[in-house]
Amino acid sequence: MTKLTFLIIFICIPVISSSKQHSCTIIPPPLFIFGDSFFDPGNNNFINTSTLDRANFWPYGRTFFHRPTGRFSDGRLISDFIAGAGALPQTFQGLVIDLKTQLKYYKREIAELRRKKGSAQTARISSTAVYMFSIGTNDYISPFLLNSSVLATYPHSRYVDMVTGNLSTVVRAIYRRGGRKFMFLNLGELGCAPGLRILKPERQGGGCLEEASDLAKLHNKALNKLLSKMEQKLHGFKYFLYDFRTSLAQRITHPYKYGFREGKKACCGIGRFNGIFSCGGKRPVKEFNLCENPSEFVYWDSYHLTEKAYKQMADQMWIIPPTEPNSLRRLFTCY
């Protein structure tokens, strides 16, 4: 059985100033990263899946690593910068590692840590760790890409409840094993990804696919409510929620303001907006265009962002001071 390798990374963080209200000292927390291709450093390389769900071929990785690593970008991801998969089991079933399967691997990892380090040290690792989640994108775009009837079977609100319910189950399971500090991304305007824009008839102006974006809005509202409820009911539960939706929308709408030239079209792909998922020529459609300078683009391929976009977002997360209530840095300090 394929084993998902969690990133357990100890980080050195610059000294953070103290105040009368907050006395912050640095702790070196490990990171446990759960999620989809926005965070995946290449785990899909090791499962029996198709090239539609892999990025272990050129030109992926060309900007920073100068070789493919399995990351769905030209370089590093948000999780790479912070460190220095779908929530529903039926989402792309057999092609990606779903969230509950990732939980099984996490439990296995904790059991192995307990065997090697003992219960006390494992408890310390669990309680000081930061658990990073990027979940939901696959669940909401797969019905459009696979011509699935799931959105006709369930009301949209019910489908969103299924996705966030699975996320809640996993987070609570981690909490029961000592996890206390969590980071989440909300969902971007899914219908504005090049791969979904092309599903809207060209005669309608090539705008965003509203149904997909509306699902993301419902998800974000439900996620806000879920995390607020957990914070109230679970003692010691702390979280940081990054507004990925607003950040991405700003770069799509005003690319020049953020140092990009193109906010709607992908760097790598073919067709309108380079939205056909052909980057690298290893997928069903072999032809693809490749831009000369990925740093001029928000989108790297039909669904994923460039390293430059991810770095800007990671920097934006990290700049929020730990004294603010919604701060990533406060998860890396004790006070």
Side-chain angles (χ1 to χ4, degrees):
M1 181 177 290
T2 303
K3 183 178 188 293
L4 179 64
T5 304
F6 289 95
L7 300 185
I8 306 178
I9 304 170
F10 291 88
I11 305 172
C12 294
I13 303 174
V15 174
I16 300 172
S17 61
S18 302
S19 69
K20 291 182 180 180
Q21 292 80 18
H22 297 270
S23 178
C24 298
T25 56
I26 304 306
I27 58 174
L31 301 181
F32 287 88
I33 300 177
F34 295 77
D36 50 30
S37 52
F38 283 130
F39 278 1
D40 181 21
N43 289 311
N44 277 7
N45 295 349
F46 305 104
I47 64 174
N48 184 22
T49 188
S50 74
T51 54
L52 287 170
D53 299 291
R54 287 183 180 171
N56 57 344
F57 44 85
W58 185 88
Y60 289 92
R62 60 172 279 191
T63 297
F64 179 78
F65 301 101
H66 308 297
R67 60 180 176 83
T69 64
R71 290 165 172 83
F72 281 86
S73 184
D74 61 308
R76 292 164 290 182
L77 311 177
I78 287 174
S79 48
D80 291 307
F81 290 111
I82 297 300
L88 294 180
Q90 59 265 41
T91 300
F92 294 125
Q93 191 166 23
L95 303 178
V96 298
I97 305 172
D98 66 82
L99 184 56
K100 285 195 173 179
T101 301
Q102 292 184 40
L103 177 61
K104 290 179 184 177
Y105 296 153
Y106 165 74
K107 290 177 180 177
R108 199 176 300 166
E109 191 70 35
I110 290 296
E112 183 68 10
L113 280 172
R114 190 176 293 112
R115 186 182 69 81
K116 290 181 177 180
K117 303 289 187 181
S119 296
Q121 180 69 357
T122 300
R124 179 186 176 277
I125 290 172
S126 296
S127 64
T128 60
V130 175
Y131 300 83
M132 300 174 65
F133 283 82
S134 172
I135 289 293
T137 297
N138 291 340
D139 299 300
Y140 299 115
I141 69 171
S142 62
F144 300 99
L145 302 179
L146 301 179
N147 198 24
S148 168
S149 62
V150 66
L151 295 179
T153 305
Y154 299 101
H156 287 187
S157 59
R158 172 61 181 147
Y159 187 67
V160 169
D161 286 344
M162 291 165 61
V163 175
T164 55
N166 267 2
L167 176 61
S168 174
T169 297
V170 170
V171 171
R172 288 174 185 275
I174 294 170
Y175 178 86
R176 288 194 299 270
R177 285 162 178 79
R180 294 294 182 269
K181 300 186 291 183
F182 297 83
M183 169 194 160
F184 302 88
L185 304 186
N186 68 11
L187 298 184
E189 294 269 8
L190 297 182
C192 297
L196 291 183
R197 278 184 187 270
I198 61 173
L199 300 182
K200 190 165 184 177
E202 190 170 8
R203 65 179 180 275
Q204 295 183 17
C208 303
L209 189 67
E210 287 89 354
E211 188 178 4
S213 293
D214 288 345
L215 277 169
K217 290 176 186 176
L218 284 175
H219 173 93
N220 291 344
K221 184 177 180 180
L223 180 62
N224 275 327
K225 186 177 179 180
L226 171 66
L227 296 179
S228 179
K229 186 176 179 180
M230 284 185 167
E231 187 176 44
Q232 292 170 16
K233 292 195 171 185
L234 302 179
H235 179 71
F237 179 89
K238 299 182 180 71
Y239 73 92
F240 167 72
L241 176 61
Y242 179 62
D243 190 2
F244 184 80
R245 178 184 182 276
T246 298
S247 183
L248 179 57
Q250 290 170 339
R251 286 159 177 79
I252 291 172
T253 307
H254 306 290
Y256 283 93
K257 182 178 177 181
Y258 297 92
F260 299 98
R261 181 175 60 83
E262 176 58 64
K264 298 177 181 177
K265 182 179 178 181
C267 167
C268 189
I270 202 166
R272 287 192 301 136
F273 304 105
N274 279 342
I276 296 174
F277 195 40
S278 64
C279 185
K282 301 288 187 181
R283 301 183 176 113
V285 177
K286 305 303 179 186
E287 298 80 14
F288 67 97
N289 302 314
L290 180 63
C291 70
E292 184 175 338
N293 186 359
S295 68
E296 295 181 343
F297 288 71
V298 175
Y299 280 95
W300 161 248
D301 66 15
S302 308
Y303 309 103
H304 307 96
L305 310 186
T306 56
E307 175 182 282
K308 180 177 177 178
Y310 285 135
K311 185 179 187 305
Q312 287 184 0
M313 292 178 178
D315 289 346
Q316 191 177 37
M317 294 178 197
W318 199 249
I319 201 171
I320 303 170
T323 51
E324 294 294 320
N326 188 39
S327 166
L328 176 61
R329 279 166 57 187
R330 79 183 180 117
L331 301 185
F332 291 84
T333 63
C334 58
Y335 52 91

